[in-house]
Amino acid sequence: MDFSYSPQEEGFRADLRAWLADALPSGWGETVFEPEDEDERAMFRLAWEKKLHAGGWSGINWPVEYGGRGATLVERAIFAEEMARVGAPEGLNIIGHNLAGSTILRHGTEAQKQYFLPRILSSDDVWCQGFSEPNAGSDLASVRTRAERRGDRFIVNGQKIWTSFAQYSQWCFALVRTDPDAPKHKGLSFLLIDMKSPGVSIRPLRQISGECEFNETFFDDVEVPVANIVGDINDGWRIAMTTLAYERGPEDALGRQIRFSQELDKLIGTVAATPRGDAMLIDDPIVRQKLARAVTQVEVMRLNAVRTFSKYLNGDDRGPDASVIKLYWSHAAQNMYEAAMDILGPTAPIAAPDPLSAGGGRFQLSYLQSKAFTIYSGSSEIQRNIIGERMLGLPR
Amino acid sequence: MDFSYSPQEEGFRADLRAWLADALPSGWGETVFEPEDEDERAMFRLAWEKKLHAGGWSGINWPVEYGGRGATLVERAIFAEEMARVGAPEGLNIIGHNLAGSTILRHGTEAQKQYFLPRILSSDDVWCQGFSEPNAGSDLASVRTRAERRGDRFIVNGQKIWTSFAQYSQWCFALVRTDPDAPKHKGLSFLLIDMKSPGVSIRPLRQISGECEFNETFFDDVEVPVANIVGDINDGWRIAMTTLAYERGPEDALGRQIRFSQELDKLIGTVAATPRGDAMLIDDPIVRQKLARAVTQVEVMRLNAVRTFSKYLNGDDRGPDASVIKLYWSHAAQNMYEAAMDILGPTAPIAAPDPLSAGGGRFQLSYLQSKAFTIYSGSSEIQRNIIGERMLGLPR
Amino acid sequence: MNFGFNEEQKSLGETVAALLADFPALTGPDPAQARDPAVWRALADLGLFALLVPEAQGGVGLTLVDVALAIEALGAGLAPPIAASTLIATDIIAREGTAAQRETLLPRIATGDVRIALAVMEDGQGYDPAQVRTMMGGNGVTGVKILVPDADIADMILVVARVDDRVGLVMLSRDARGVAIRHHADIDPSSGLCEVTLNGAAVMDGALIGHAGSGDVISRLMDAAAIVYAGMAMGIAARMLDASVDYAKTRVQFGQPIGAFQSIKHRCADMAVAVEAGRSAAYYAFWTAAENDPDRSRAASMAKAYCGEIARDVCNETVQIHGGMGFTWELGLHRFLRRAKVMEHGFGNHVWHYERIMAQTLAARAVVADARAA
Amino acid sequence: MNFGFNEEQKSLGETVAALLADFPALTGPDPAQARDPAVWRALADLGLFALLVPEAQGGVGLTLVDVALAIEALGAGLAPPIAASTLIATDIIAREGTAAQRETLLPRIATGDVRIALAVMEDGQGYDPAQVRTMMGGNGVTGVKILVPDADIADMILVVARVDDRVGLVMLSRDARGVAIRHHADIDPSSGLCEVTLNGAAVMDGALIGHAGSGDVISRLMDAAAIVYAGMAMGIAARMLDASVDYAKTRVQFGQPIGAFQSIKHRCADMAVAVEAGRSAAYYAFWTAAENDPDRSRAASMAKAYCGEIARDVCNETVQIHGGMGFTWELGLHRFLRRAKVMEHGFGNHVWHYERIMAQTLAARAVVADARAA
């Protein structure tokens, strides 16, 4: 066990730190922030992703031949740390990088890799995910969106839901039914669908926080070239499981952990600066217990991710440990935001832009958003089934 | 809604209070306590029960014709309160009074009532419960102990487990299989078995706390007169459900609540008298939060029981509310003892008779005992099934 | 002794619930659309605000326990908070007001012509009304009150303020000189939370409520408010439980209703137990307030702390049980979550009330000990 | 950077686990039968106590992270606490001892000839070692230490005491004049908890450990002990998880193994997540102790607080999952519950450590703020 860094790794860190100092707007995080408007913010994030790509910092762990720089897992962790240190913006094309790219790298044809991967890295193609349907939530294998083969085309009809950022996406990877007569896990295929295809339409779906990150996406006689299937026909379930392992895995968790850690730091700073009677709120022993518990759980999120990274580094396969990671971070983060709303006391409900909102009103929005954490990317109930059955070997 | 008492009820209280002042040993609860030894304690409790009976305070809510005094539910609650106020000893024949008696009253023949009920009230007959078996725990209906009819006798063979106080019992009510070919709920009967019958043997079963409250009871060709069946042959499941409703119901909960309430009061007294650095432990705001939560939950236990009493008083039938009551008190009590072990700090593990044990070392034993609360009388998992299915109407 | 409600009490609850159901926007997805002023008039026409007014002042002369189920219905229906605030103020005026205050205010309250907002909290002072810095002086009331529900639509504002070195209650007209109102930005716009700035605000004649009395007026206010909020929290919790159970019966995944899965079934069962437990605490507290029982403050704090936690937990679980639908805007579960969160922090959160329970418990123990020693 | 253990580290853990399994009474139902003195000798013969001794003193020269899995095995196997105490003391002597202390003590520790008990707590003073009143004066050490595991079978006792206005560490021989030992009555007799009364207890030459050093000796002791206890807690938790899963696979009710029911399956899953999370916290803390990383105290407190809570929860759940069998004496699950409860209160419980985490976190923030300001 060794948490120290080699000279090469420290060099990587120094390069990145120097680049970031140049690339971020002056006053970033202090006087300069992301736009408030959802659409403007999306475009800001896209621009930042393109800047990262131009600087050579996009998809750093991908093979050099597909535009990556073959970075090690450790460099990837350093990258995450440094992005956190400066509070860098999030990206818009997270699904492209983490899910579409990773899945195509693992299961795609050479032609698919050559075409799609560089365009993902450059964020010329933003991606969304077409898995869930209104009647296929936890029971994902019961998807009904159909793809019928006609010559060199699939004709896709159906409806997907929770397609995050579909409104900004050029491409969608979707799980579709190609054999309605087969058992439900055996008749699915994994298609890459151009969002500009005729017959694709989207409808925004507002979420609990009032934001419209999600959409319903409708496919009405959409033509998809057969070349855009990943893996074999009717082998889509296996491919989708790979995608989900990435969605729930340590790369995703580490990125999230950094944001949670920043918010927690902001919370502690806010509490330390909040008067309560003759003292400060931070002096309240009950508040301190709650904060310390959040500090611990957010740190454990990081350690869980790094520990799983290390397993991969040491040659282990990706397995149900992704469910462990996802189940942990989702509940720990919910606990943290629930604790934040507790700790902030009477003014907890006051949100931005009210001058009385604690910590600039960021916790209220995050609190509402956090309610989705234990539902999307596979609900906690599904993760517990996976852990119970695949990791612990309990009977179905 | 009215929590005040009528003059008659206050008169009942005054009579009882006067009787108790005479009946309890002088110095009771201050210098005089129950014996430490398990067997001696059992005999002490039996003697107390007989004294209550001699004073006319046994089974007060039973009909006068069977030796009760036809007390109202409210008088019964007053009885519980007054017993609590003086910290009266528990009884030994609780199963007889609460379960055997209530079941026989509801479903027994007139002959059974005439014979058994007075002997229960006088505690000449102490009872134990023969329901669970090694392979029939949560799945109670799968009991295998067999009773074969031969003429005017059943011949009983099998093994029961968790038969509390079997070593002190004259009688056992048991759920036995009388039709091995019927569906499992349909082939059971409810028998009253004389523990002095040839072929009955018991083996003590030590529990987590080191005590031997429980036993395994073996039946080896035990003869039981057919007159000792309660209800019809193969109708035992329905009878047993009545017994369980009493076991989990408000009468039982109210008695327990009083003991928990006394222990909590003792805990608060102990914490108030415990120095911690320059102050007292009771001044610690974190300790106060935990205590207040326990105060609330123990009070809610009482209110739940009284509220359900009132439902019965107002004409409602006994239903799955018994499971609500049992699920609540068992977890609330566990929480309280876990909190006690938390609050008592470094010396929490020190038990009686160590002079350093907090509060006389009573919390350590209760803490260990409390682990059984959510398992016996139907595990929490079973109570949740009952509530989910019978009260909320969720599908099986 | 009887812990049941009578038929009139039950019927009152059902009537209020039915009335609120006629205003679907109240529980619709958009909190900004949920402040229909017609709701107040409808509740007034029903006679809700006459219930706690003594018969001598033209009311029905009921107590808080009589309206417990009606208050639960106000919670479940996400009624405008001014309804609850006015009921709480009515209880205070009826019990602690001078004869003149009773004669002046109560008849108008009974007819629904006076809406009263409650202004307790101030920035940086936590939950404790003893800590307020707002001061009533010779030239009026000065200070800044925050988190006042529905202040903007109130006719009067009952303000906790320092008066002659004591903390007291002052009634102001919302239109009085020196009263400025600003809407908060907050997670539940339907609660109408406002900041009320008082700059030498003009007071009405006889504006001090209960100041010459037992000194109990502030604790009565906090207790009554805590109990009413606890009742409304249970209304929310019970409604969310029902929504969860209904959804669990109809939503099919893996070939069966999800309510057949123990992970859902057992969670519903735990919620049902929590709802029953919270109701036990709340109903008992209503009774102590009606009788002004010595256990009133402890019971009120138990109810507020415990029911607030239960409502929060049940709202969270309900979102989870509804899966993806649960976190949509359109289904509107977030409305209950938001309202419950606002109510959790109104009139003392669970930490403040648990501390108060402990103080009450220790004080009661001391009384018993003194009695034994004497 | 690598968060994995190497083969030697893993093998060490397996070897210790296998050795302890040869002493079934250690985890048998009766805690009074679980103090076989042969266990110590077997562990010593295995070389366990040489591992942390530097090579110069005849040891293997490993660090705490190297023995993390061995310590987890000590926890899982309910090894006598003197084994852990001696390892903790070894770490302190090797790092903070004078050359003379190292030369005198470490070679004898390496061979298993010195068992060392740790005496920190005193009655009425909570968990904080800064609060001790035991005093080393001209005529020896005087004070009463409580809850000292295995003091009765120790050769030496490392005592936290006031020395020259500072809190320091003093090594005493258990047989020294003025040392009296009494067994506590407690919930885990297998922990050998003792009260140690020191009445002018004679000290050895050079008995003060680390007193001339960095002043860090007490926090190093608390950190090392917290980390070792966290590791042992995870050993218990992991073993209980395994027991639950095994039982859930074999116990049949309602015609299927109970592990097929979501109420059991999901609880096992949650326990598995907790065990992984606790291990992440514990292993990281072991590493910070090995490297004397600046994050050491925070990491140690996080591990002790969190792993203690996890072990407690997992023990409770395991009893529940085993149903009636779970609360029998014979199955022996209570042994783990009892040991976990004793360890929870050793070297600071979760409340004390959460408070310490907060103090460390705020101190680290202040350093960052200062650095930014500079």
Side-chain angles (χ1 to χ4, degrees):
Chain A
M1 187 170 309
D2 184 9
F3 288 90
S4 55
Y5 297 101
S6 70
Q8 292 90 321
E9 288 161 352
E10 289 294 5
F12 174 90
R13 186 192 297 277
D15 289 351
L16 175 57
R17 203 178 283 189
W19 183 85
L20 282 169
D22 268 359
L24 284 166
S26 147
W28 173 250
E30 290 170 15
T31 55
V32 178
F33 303 95
E34 286 196 330
E36 295 270 332
D37 178 81
E38 273 186 67
D39 285 335
E40 287 175 37
R41 188 164 63 225
M43 291 308 108
F44 176 87
R45 290 180 175 189
L46 185 60
W48 169 249
E49 253 169 353
K50 294 194 171 188
K51 197 167 195 175
L52 274 173
H53 178 250
W57 300 103
S58 185
I60 52 168
N61 60 319
W62 288 13
V64 177
E65 58 192 301
Y66 302 118
R69 56 193 283 168
T72 62
L73 283 166
V74 176
E75 285 170 339
R76 192 151 175 183
I78 292 171
F79 181 81
E81 277 177 29
E82 291 300 317
M83 297 299 272
R85 186 190 302 267
V86 297
E90 294 180 42
L92 182 68
N93 194 20
I94 299 172
I95 292 171
H97 284 88
N98 293 356
L99 307 190
S102 302
T103 306
I104 292 169
L105 257 174
R106 175 94 176 264
H107 296 291
T109 63
E110 190 54 37
Q112 287 168 343
K113 292 180 191 173
Q114 291 291 350
Y115 178 78
F116 289 111
L117 295 180
R119 300 176 56 81
I120 290 172
L121 283 194
S122 65
S123 291
D124 286 334
D125 288 351
V126 174
W127 283 71
C128 61
Q129 176 177 20
F131 277 12
S132 297
E133 299 181 5
N135 289 305
S138 286
D139 186 8
L140 179 60
S142 68
V143 297
R144 293 182 195 168
T145 295
R146 291 178 62 164
E148 287 175 71
R149 180 149 183 184
R150 292 203 202 135
D152 62 349
R153 295 268 180 256
F154 287 105
I155 310 300
V156 179
N157 280 287
Q159 178 191 355
K160 293 292 178 180
I161 198 167
W162 317 124
T163 39
S164 323
F165 302 119
Q167 66 271 49
Y168 308 119
S169 294
Q170 281 73 45
W171 285 85
C172 174
F173 58 86
L175 196 59
V176 297
R177 186 156 305 280
T178 36
D179 183 352
D181 301 322
K184 66 180 184 176
H185 294 80
K186 310 273 185 185
L188 299 169
S189 296
F190 193 102
L191 289 189
L192 309 179
I193 305 178
D194 187 338
M195 290 292 279
K196 297 183 303 298
S197 312
V200 175
S201 60
I202 63 173
R203 187 161 70 192
L205 199 54
R206 251 180 127 181
Q207 66 190 92
I208 212 168
S209 61
E211 299 164 301
C212 293
E213 183 183 327
F214 300 103
N215 297 274
E216 292 176 285
T217 302
F218 301 88
F219 300 94
D220 184 16
D221 282 335
V222 173
E223 297 191 3
V224 177
V226 291
N228 284 3
I229 193 170
V230 177
D232 290 336
I233 192 160
N234 296 330
D235 193 27
W237 183 252
R238 191 175 64 90
I239 313 294
M241 289 303 100
T242 299
T243 314
L244 292 182
Y246 282 103
E247 185 174 11
R248 300 165 183 170
E251 295 86 348
D252 176 78
L254 204 56
R256 292 175 185 274
Q257 190 274 342
I258 284 158
R259 295 198 293 284
F260 298 141
S261 173
Q262 288 170 334
E263 293 229 312
L264 178 56
D265 192 62
K266 178 83 183 167
L267 176 63
I268 293 171
T270 301
V271 170
T274 300
R276 178 57 38 92
D278 297 332
M280 303 303 275
L281 190 51
I282 192 75
D283 300 320
D284 180 335
I286 297 163
V287 166
R288 293 166 77 90
Q289 288 286 308
K290 291 176 182 167
L291 285 174
R293 207 175 286 264
V295 165
T296 303
Q297 293 193 4
V298 170
E299 178 72 0
V300 168
M301 265 185 224
R302 183 180 76 82
L303 296 170
N304 279 348
V306 174
R307 214 165 132 230
T308 306
F309 260 139
S310 292
K311 280 190 200 165
Y312 302 163
L313 196 67
N314 298 335
D316 284 14
D317 277 343
R318 285 174 187 266
D321 43 13
S323 288
V324 173
I325 285 178
K326 198 268 168 169
L327 193 55
Y328 189 85
W329 75 250
S330 58
H331 287 272
Q334 266 184 1
N335 293 346
M336 176 179 98
Y337 290 115
E338 200 72 68
M341 293 298 280
D342 243 34
I343 288 167
L344 293 172
T347 59
I350 301 181
D354 197 294
L356 293 182
S357 71
R362 64 199 290 161
F363 306 115
Q364 291 74 19
L365 187 63
S366 300
Y367 158 75
L368 290 168
Q369 290 168 337
S370 76
K371 298 304 171 197
F373 295 166
T374 50
I375 297 171
Y376 64 43
S377 299
S379 70
S380 296
E381 290 75 17
I382 290 298
Q383 310 296 352
R384 292 188 186 108
N385 275 345
I386 292 171
I387 295 167
E389 292 162 15
R390 292 195 228 157
M391 191 164 125
L392 303 177
L394 292 168
R396 281 181 177 273
Chain B
M1 189 171 306
D2 184 9
F3 288 90
S4 54
Y5 297 101
S6 71
Q8 292 90 322
E9 288 161 351
E10 291 293 5
F12 174 89
R13 187 192 297 277
D15 290 349
L16 175 57
R17 203 177 283 189
W19 184 84
L20 282 170
D22 269 357
L24 284 167
S26 149
W28 174 251
E30 292 171 14
T31 53
V32 178
F33 303 95
E34 286 195 330
E36 295 272 331
D37 177 80
E38 273 187 66
D39 284 335
E40 288 176 36
R41 189 163 64 224
M43 290 310 105
F44 177 88
R45 290 180 175 188
L46 185 61
W48 170 247
E49 254 169 354
K50 295 194 172 191
K51 196 168 196 176
L52 276 172
H53 178 250
W57 299 104
S58 186
I60 54 168
N61 60 319
W62 287 15
V64 177
E65 57 192 301
Y66 302 118
R69 57 194 282 170
T72 63
L73 283 166
V74 175
E75 285 169 339
R76 192 150 175 185
I78 292 171
F79 182 80
E81 277 177 29
E82 291 300 317
M83 298 299 272
R85 187 191 301 266
V86 297
E90 294 179 42
L92 182 68
N93 194 19
I94 299 172
I95 292 172
H97 283 88
N98 293 358
L99 307 189
S102 302
T103 307
I104 292 169
L105 258 175
R106 176 93 175 265
H107 295 292
T109 62
E110 191 52 38
Q112 287 168 343
K113 291 181 193 175
Q114 291 291 349
Y115 178 77
F116 289 111
L117 296 180
R119 302 178 55 82
I120 289 172
L121 283 195
S122 64
S123 291
D124 287 332
D125 289 351
V126 174
W127 283 71
C128 61
Q129 176 177 19
F131 277 12
S132 297
E133 299 180 5
N135 289 304
S138 286
D139 185 9
L140 180 61
S142 68
V143 297
R144 293 183 195 167
T145 295
R146 291 178 63 166
E148 285 176 73
R149 180 150 181 184
R150 292 200 202 139
D152 62 347
R153 295 267 181 259
F154 288 105
I155 310 300
V156 179
N157 279 287
Q159 178 191 357
K160 293 291 178 181
I161 197 168
W162 317 125
T163 38
S164 323
F165 302 120
Q167 68 270 49
Y168 308 118
S169 294
Q170 281 71 45
W171 284 86
C172 175
F173 58 84
L175 195 59
V176 296
R177 187 158 304 281
T178 36
D179 182 353
D181 302 322
K184 65 180 184 176
H185 293 78
K186 309 273 186 186
L188 299 171
S189 296
F190 192 102
L191 289 190
L192 310 179
I193 304 178
D194 186 338
M195 290 292 278
K196 296 183 303 298
S197 312
V200 174
S201 60
I202 63 174
R203 187 161 68 191
L205 199 55
R206 251 179 125 181
Q207 67 189 93
I208 211 169
S209 61
E211 298 163 302
C212 292
E213 184 181 327
F214 300 103
N215 298 274
E216 292 177 285
T217 302
F218 300 87
F219 300 93
D220 185 15
D221 283 333
V222 173
E223 297 191 5
V224 178
V226 291
N228 285 3
I229 192 170
V230 177
D232 290 335
I233 193 162
N234 296 330
D235 194 26
W237 183 252
R238 191 175 66 89
I239 313 294
M241 289 303 99
T242 299
T243 314
L244 292 182
Y246 283 102
E247 184 174 12
R248 299 164 184 170
E251 295 86 349
D252 176 76
L254 204 55
R256 292 174 185 276
Q257 191 273 341
I258 285 158
R259 294 197 295 282
F260 298 141
S261 173
Q262 288 171 332
E263 293 230 310
L264 178 55
D265 192 62
K266 178 82 184 173
L267 176 63
I268 293 171
T270 300
V271 170
T274 300
R276 178 57 39 90
D278 297 333
M280 302 304 275
L281 190 51
I282 193 74
D283 300 319
D284 180 336
I286 298 164
V287 166
R288 292 167 77 91
Q289 288 286 306
K290 290 176 183 168
L291 285 174
R293 206 175 287 264
V295 165
T296 303
Q297 293 193 5
V298 170
E299 178 73 1
V300 167
M301 266 185 223
R302 183 180 75 84
L303 297 169
N304 279 348
V306 174
R307 217 167 130 230
T308 305
F309 261 138
S310 293
K311 278 190 200 165
Y312 301 164
L313 195 67
N314 297 335
D316 283 14
D317 278 343
R318 285 174 187 266
D321 42 15
S323 289
V324 172
I325 285 179
K326 199 268 169 168
L327 194 55
Y328 189 83
W329 74 251
S330 58
H331 287 272
Q334 267 184 0
N335 292 346
M336 176 179 98
Y337 291 114
E338 199 73 69
M341 293 298 281
D342 243 34
I343 288 168
L344 293 174
T347 59
I350 301 181
D354 197 294
L356 292 181
S357 71
R362 63 200 289 160
F363 306 115
Q364 290 74 21
L365 187 63
S366 300
Y367 159 76
L368 290 168
Q369 290 168 336
S370 76
K371 299 304 170 195
F373 294 166
T374 51
I375 297 171
Y376 64 42
S377 299
S379 70
S380 296
E381 290 74 18
I382 289 297
Q383 311 296 352
R384 292 188 186 108
N385 275 345
I386 292 171
I387 295 167
E389 290 162 16
R390 292 195 228 157
M391 189 164 126
L392 304 177
L394 292 169
R396 279 181 179 274
Chain C
M1 195 183 64
N2 194 331
F3 204 150
F5 291 102
N6 62 33
E7 289 310 314
E8 297 78 59
Q9 292 163 339
K10 288 182 195 168
S11 151
L12 205 51
E14 288 159 12
T15 308
V16 170
L19 182 149
L20 294 173
D22 287 341
F23 297 89
L26 282 178
T27 54
D30 189 350
Q33 303 291 317
R35 300 189 73 205
D36 184 345
V39 176
W40 171 269
R41 198 63 255 165
L43 288 169
D45 290 348
L46 189 72
L48 179 67
F49 304 106
L51 297 176
L52 296 180
V53 171
E55 292 178 55
Q57 282 86 35
V60 186
L62 300 182
T63 64
L64 276 176
V65 78
D66 298 311
V67 300
L69 297 179
I71 285 168
E72 205 173 287
L74 292 178
L78 300 182
I82 193 73
S85 302
T86 301
L87 290 173
I88 295 162
T90 308
D91 174 83
I92 300 296
I93 296 164
R95 289 185 177 261
E96 305 281 346
T98 62
Q101 287 163 347
R102 292 156 57 93
E103 290 304 330
T104 317
L105 292 167
L106 292 174
R108 294 168 60 211
I109 288 173
T111 53
D113 292 323
V114 182
R115 289 164 297 185
I116 306 175
L118 305 174
V120 181
M121 279 187 284
E122 301 177 6
D123 190 33
Q125 295 303 308
Y127 300 96
D128 194 348
Q131 301 299 318
V132 302
R133 292 160 304 182
T134 293
M135 186 86 73
M136 175 164 145
N139 55 354
V141 183
T142 298
V144 181
K145 292 290 175 182
I146 64 171
L147 293 160
V148 183
D150 282 345
D152 58 331
I153 57 167
D155 302 293
M156 295 182 184
I157 306 178
L158 196 54
V159 177
V160 178
R162 304 205 155 269
V163 188
D164 309 334
D165 287 339
R166 283 165 59 189
V167 176
L169 275 182
V170 191
M171 185 74 92
L172 302 177
S173 167
R174 194 206 43 176
D175 297 332
R177 168 181 57 75
V179 176
I181 287 177
R182 173 181 78 78
H183 278 107
H184 284 301
D186 65 87
I187 60 165
D188 180 27
S190 74
S191 283
L193 296 176
C194 294
E195 179 183 82
V196 178
T197 302
L198 305 170
N199 190 2
V203 300
M204 301 153 69
D205 278 351
L208 272 175
I209 307 283
H211 205 60
S214 63
D216 188 43
V217 64
I218 296 294
S219 70
R220 175 93 204 169
L221 172 71
M222 291 304 284
D223 289 349
I227 292 165
V228 167
Y229 271 48
M232 293 198 295
M234 291 324 298
I236 288 179
R239 182 168 178 153
M240 290 295 95
L241 169 63
D242 289 347
S244 291
V245 170
D246 287 347
Y247 191 74
K249 286 177 184 171
T250 51
R251 169 73 173 176
V252 172
Q253 291 280 274
F254 303 104
Q256 53 184 324
I258 61 170
F261 293 106
Q262 282 190 341
S263 67
I264 304 298
K265 182 185 293 178
H266 286 193
R267 211 177 295 165
C268 287
D270 281 337
M271 286 196 283
V273 172
V275 166
E276 289 309 307
R279 281 177 158 158
S280 292
Y283 296 163
Y284 172 65
F286 273 106
W287 180 81
T288 63
E291 298 294 319
N292 223 4
D293 189 85
D295 200 22
R296 189 195 77 205
S297 288
R298 193 184 74 114
S301 282
M302 289 196 300
K304 179 63 167 67
Y306 203 49
C307 296
E309 291 184 311
I310 289 167
R312 174 180 65 183
D313 292 346
V314 171
C315 287
N316 286 340
E317 288 286 33
T318 298
V319 170
Q320 180 71 22
I321 286 171
H322 281 74
M325 288 307 295
F327 68 90
T328 59
W329 180 265
E330 286 308 322
L331 190 67
L333 295 179
H334 65 100
R335 290 291 320 287
F336 297 89
L337 187 81
R338 290 164 186 265
R339 179 63 67 89
K341 184 57 81 182
V342 164
M343 293 196 334
E344 195 184 323
H345 288 286
F347 301 100
N349 75 343
H350 63 277
V351 174
W352 190 77
H353 281 288
Y354 279 129
E355 173 55 37
R356 194 163 175 254
I357 291 163
M358 209 56 224
Q360 297 280 342
T361 301
L362 292 171
R365 279 176 59 90
V367 169
V368 171
D370 285 352
R372 283 203 184 130
Chain D
M1 194 182 66
N2 194 330
F3 204 148
F5 290 102
N6 62 34
E7 289 310 314
E8 295 79 58
Q9 292 163 338
K10 289 182 195 167
S11 151
L12 206 50
E14 289 158 13
T15 307
V16 169
L19 182 150
L20 294 173
D22 287 341
F23 296 90
L26 282 179
T27 54
D30 189 351
Q33 303 291 317
R35 300 190 74 204
D36 185 345
V39 176
W40 171 269
R41 199 62 254 167
L43 289 169
D45 290 347
L46 189 72
L48 180 68
F49 303 106
L51 297 175
L52 296 180
V53 171
E55 292 178 54
Q57 282 86 34
V60 186
L62 299 182
T63 64
L64 274 175
V65 77
D66 297 311
V67 299
L69 297 180
I71 285 168
E72 207 173 286
L74 292 178
L78 301 183
I82 194 73
S85 302
T86 301
L87 290 173
I88 295 161
T90 309
D91 175 83
I92 300 297
I93 296 165
R95 288 185 177 261
E96 305 281 346
T98 61
Q101 287 162 347
R102 292 157 57 94
E103 291 304 331
T104 316
L105 293 167
L106 292 174
R108 294 169 57 211
I109 290 173
T111 52
D113 293 322
V114 181
R115 290 164 296 184
I116 306 176
L118 304 174
V120 181
M121 279 186 284
E122 301 176 6
D123 190 34
Q125 294 303 308
Y127 300 96
D128 195 347
Q131 300 298 319
V132 302
R133 293 161 302 182
T134 294
M135 187 88 72
M136 174 164 146
N139 56 354
V141 183
T142 298
V144 180
K145 292 290 175 181
I146 63 171
L147 293 160
V148 183
D150 282 346
D152 57 331
I153 57 168
D155 301 294
M156 294 182 186
I157 306 177
L158 196 54
V159 178
V160 177
R162 304 204 157 269
V163 188
D164 308 335
D165 287 340
R166 283 165 60 191
V167 176
L169 275 181
V170 190
M171 186 74 91
L172 302 178
S173 167
R174 193 206 44 175
D175 298 332
R177 169 180 55 75
V179 176
I181 287 178
R182 174 180 76 81
H183 278 107
H184 285 302
D186 65 87
I187 60 166
D188 181 27
S190 75
S191 283
L193 296 177
C194 295
E195 178 183 83
V196 179
T197 303
L198 305 171
N199 189 2
V203 299
M204 300 152 68
D205 277 351
L208 273 176
I209 308 281
H211 205 59
S214 62
D216 189 44
V217 65
I218 296 294
S219 71
R220 175 91 205 171
L221 172 72
M222 291 303 285
D223 291 349
I227 293 165
V228 167
Y229 270 48
M232 292 197 296
M234 292 322 298
I236 288 179
R239 182 167 179 156
M240 290 295 94
L241 169 63
D242 289 348
S244 292
V245 170
D246 286 348
Y247 191 74
K249 286 178 185 171
T250 52
R251 168 73 172 175
V252 173
Q253 290 282 273
F254 303 103
Q256 52 185 325
I258 60 170
F261 293 105
Q262 282 189 344
S263 67
I264 304 297
K265 182 185 292 179
H266 285 192
R267 208 176 297 164
C268 288
D270 281 337
M271 286 197 281
V273 172
V275 166
E276 289 308 308
R279 281 177 158 157
S280 292
Y283 297 163
Y284 172 65
F286 273 105
W287 180 81
T288 63
E291 298 293 319
N292 223 4
D293 190 84
D295 201 21
R296 189 195 76 205
S297 288
R298 194 183 73 115
S301 283
M302 290 197 299
K304 179 64 168 68
Y306 203 50
C307 297
E309 290 184 311
I310 289 167
R312 175 179 64 184
D313 293 346
V314 172
C315 286
N316 285 340
E317 289 286 32
T318 298
V319 170
Q320 181 71 22
I321 287 171
H322 281 75
M325 288 307 296
F327 68 90
T328 58
W329 179 265
E330 285 308 320
L331 191 67
L333 296 179
H334 65 99
R335 290 290 320 287
F336 297 89
L337 186 82
R338 291 164 185 265
R339 179 64 68 87
K341 184 55 81 184
V342 164
M343 293 196 334
E344 196 184 322
H345 288 287
F347 301 100
N349 75 342
H350 63 277
V351 173
W352 191 77
H353 280 289
Y354 279 130
E355 172 56 37
R356 194 164 176 251
I357 291 163
M358 210 55 223
Q360 298 280 341
T361 302
L362 292 170
R365 279 176 58 90
V367 168
V368 171
D370 285 351
R372 281 199 185 134

